[in-house]
Amino acid sequence: MATNLKRLVFKNWKSAIIFWLGNHLFMNWMPYTIRHWYLRSFCKMKLGKNSAICMGNFITGKNIEIGDNTVINRFCYLDGRVQLKIGNNVNVAHYTLIQTLTHDPQSPFFVCQEKPVEIQDHAWIGARAIICPGVTIGEGAVVAAGAVVTKNVEPYSIVGGNPAQFIKNRSKDLRYKTRYFPILDTDIQ
């Protein structure tokens, strides 16, 4: 029993150190090449080609998959303790929070609830948006800045507010490929 406990403690500490180094050293001080190598190799993130994880983000959990040509801008929180899947050509603006865990407010034991999040291709998440656990953001959808998304967002729709509500539809003619690699911690490319 003591041996199993020691293994569990060592495993948890090892994982904690990996993410601590990632969040406090690699996410803040390293160029893209080294940052992305660390995220893939040690944090087990699946990161597509020409995707950018900008400086200053906080990442936790080994269940994150990001497609090609996707940008996660500065100061976002990516919760990969449960599956977080972000598609191709997705833009996630500054200070966005994406959560995959919550607690049951009715539980006398504050039970943890695990709910995966998916953000599909060509979605655009505005600055300071909050994506709650269990949400799917449909293909081509736009989440306005500051929106709190508690329910699924239909493809090619624009939502905003708290809680996020439908505003209007977005054009389905989306041909762009996102490529955003600002130099250091600037918006200069």
Side-chain angles (χ1 to χ4, degrees):
M1 178 103 163
T3 305
N4 288 338
L5 182 60
K6 286 180 186 178
R7 274 192 222 130
L8 179 63
V9 168
F10 176 75
K11 179 182 173 188
N12 288 342
W13 270 95
K14 180 181 172 187
S15 184
I17 289 169
I18 286 170
F19 282 96
W20 184 86
L21 284 171
N23 289 319
H24 297 284
L25 175 63
F26 288 90
M27 291 307 301
N28 291 309
W29 299 102
M30 299 297 162
Y32 289 101
T33 309
I34 296 171
R35 185 179 326 139
H36 292 172
W37 165 80
Y38 188 86
L39 291 171
R40 286 181 179 114
S41 300
F42 293 93
C43 299
K44 304 302 181 197
M45 180 184 287
K46 294 176 183 161
L47 182 60
K49 65 181 181 175
N50 294 318
S51 287
I53 308 291
C54 294
M55 295 178 88
N57 286 298
F58 189 93
I59 295 169
T60 188
K62 296 182 178 184
N63 297 303
I64 300 174
E65 180 180 340
I66 298 174
D68 300 334
N69 307 305
T70 289
V71 175
I72 309 297
N73 219 312
R74 295 185 298 273
F75 308 115
C76 294
Y77 178 85
L78 302 181
D79 183 358
R81 294 173 291 173
V82 179
Q83 184 180 20
L84 169 56
K85 184 175 181 181
I86 301 174
N88 301 314
N89 297 296
V90 172
N91 291 280
V92 178
H94 310 328
Y95 294 98
T96 294
L97 304 175
I98 304 173
Q99 298 279 157
T100 62
L101 284 179
T102 188
H103 293 277
D104 180 355
Q106 302 301 337
S107 169
F109 301 104
F110 204 53
V111 172
C112 187
Q113 296 177 329
E114 301 178 346
K115 298 178 180 181
V117 170
E118 181 177 2
I119 301 173
Q120 297 177 350
D121 298 348
H122 284 285
W124 174 15
I125 312 300
R128 297 188 186 276
I130 299 173
I131 311 298
C132 293
V135 168
T136 296
I137 308 294
E139 181 178 354
V142 176
V143 173
V148 178
V149 182
T150 59
K151 298 178 186 171
N152 292 346
V153 176
E154 293 296 317
Y156 301 99
S157 63
I158 300 173
V159 300
N162 179 6
Q165 300 292 319
F166 176 80
I167 297 171
K168 63 182 174 180
N169 288 312
R170 184 183 191 195
S171 170
K172 292 183 180 181
D173 185 19
L174 303 176
R175 303 177 200 182
Y176 62 86
K177 285 189 176 181
T178 305
R179 185 162 167 76
Y180 183 68
F181 289 89
I183 300 169
L184 301 173
D185 193 17
T186 69
D187 287 328
I188 300 169
Q189 294 191 67

